[in-house]
Amino acid sequence: MRQLEGKAALVTGAARGLGRECARAFARKGARVVVADLDAEGGEETVQLIRDEGGEAVFVQADVSRVEDVRAMIDTAVKRFGGLHCAINNAMRPGQNLPLADIPEELWEAMLAVNLTGVFLCMKYEIKAMLAGGGGAIVNIGSGNEHAGAYGLSHYYSAKTGLQGMTKSAALEYARKGVRINAVGPGVMATPLMEAAFADPKRHAFLMSKSPLGRFAQPEEVANAAVWLCTDEASMVVGHTLVADGGAVLT
């Protein structure tokens, strides 16, 4: 079904992995897609995949920690596709495993700049565009582990738990104005980012032991959940974090 026919969608971090699959899922539902990423080669590959499948997309190179880049990618959606109706804020900087006292200040700042401030900037200008166009839906990509911790990742989880709070507050602020805001909490996915972890047999076995389904998620499975939240089928879902981790949070 093409529930998003004629709508304009934006996906950040869409050059590979989950972001790429979100962009493709939007296009399959009829949306015209702005593919945003720092990686121009990967972003253009995503655009070509969408076009090969009969969809419409354009690439914008953007660093979400820079307000000028954020405004430019949203302006592209408005000028190219007539507005902005859906957005998935997926761009992120992965964590480097370090105990808190060993985290350099510059790494802490860089992590928050992309993983928290970057989402704030995206939401700020996405909301403005959606209000001007009569409403829309935003999904932030958080983590399935937001209520837990992980050794060496205090900088990463600080950003992700902050994102969860920001999602809830913004959802309250804009629900009556026609902008629905939610989040998705993925678990371990079979993405290029996880290749190093999967290559370590002990790490692979540990991660697999946390999966009640006995397998890792494919990016398209999580993408389908995120894009569903942007459709009218999810019209009563507001301020929710949909955990798409195959039950790992239960272990």
Side-chain angles (χ1 to χ4, degrees):
M1 295 177 62
R2 294 173 67 85
Q3 301 101 317
L4 298 173
E5 190 74 50
K7 302 290 187 180
L10 164 69
V11 183
T12 66
R16 64 183 63 79
L18 175 58
R20 171 174 285 179
E21 295 309 320
C22 286
R24 295 176 73 188
F26 269 133
R28 293 188 190 109
K29 290 187 180 296
R32 296 168 292 175
V33 188
V34 176
V35 171
D37 204 293
L38 268 176
D39 177 4
E41 182 178 357
E44 293 289 3
E45 287 176 359
T46 300
V47 168
Q48 192 57 54
L49 284 169
I50 290 171
R51 290 174 178 168
D52 289 345
E53 294 169 350
E56 185 176 356
V58 62
F59 172 70
V60 177
Q61 189 171 36
D63 176 348
V64 297
S65 69
R66 291 173 48 86
V67 65
E68 298 88 351
D69 288 11
V70 170
R71 293 180 67 174
M73 70 187 184
I74 292 167
D75 286 347
T76 297
V78 173
K79 292 175 181 177
R80 184 74 175 263
F81 299 139
L84 181 65
H85 309 99
C86 310
I88 293 179
N89 297 316
N90 169 72
M92 58 85 73
R93 180 185 176 116
Q96 178 183 350
N97 283 57
L98 290 168
L100 188 145
D102 294 335
I103 297 173
E105 286 85 351
E106 58 270 23
L107 175 58
W108 171 267
E109 291 169 0
M111 287 287 290
L112 293 186
V114 175
N115 296 345
L116 187 58
T117 301
V119 178
F120 159 73
L121 291 173
C122 287
M123 290 178 68
K124 177 176 180 176
Y125 292 100
E126 290 160 358
I127 289 167
K128 288 177 181 289
M130 290 177 182
L131 291 176
I138 297 172
V139 174
N140 298 320
I141 301 301
S143 168
N145 241 350
E146 283 153 336
H147 297 295
Y151 180 89
L153 291 176
S154 57
H155 46 5
Y156 178 79
Y157 281 113
S158 292
K160 291 300 185 181
T161 53
L163 183 151
Q164 185 182 53
M166 184 164 56
T167 297
K168 291 179 178 180
S169 293
L172 286 173
E173 294 164 353
Y174 293 100
R176 291 194 181 188
K177 297 179 180 180
V179 179
R180 285 190 305 105
I181 302 171
N182 292 287
V184 165
V188 178
M189 290 179 286
T191 65
L193 187 63
M194 291 300 298
E195 287 177 358
F198 291 165
D200 179 345
K202 290 185 179 179
R203 181 66 174 162
H204 185 276
F206 171 77
L207 292 172
M208 187 63 75
S209 73
K210 297 293 184 179
S211 173
L213 289 179
R215 65 178 179 85
F216 301 128
Q218 295 300 312
E220 55 266 31
E221 293 178 293
V222 180
N224 288 337
V227 171
W228 174 77
L229 285 170
C230 292
T231 70
D232 287 342
E233 292 178 350
S235 58
M236 283 297 289
V237 185
V238 175
H240 177 66
T241 296
L242 194 166
V243 179
D245 70 348
V249 74
L250 303 175
T251 62

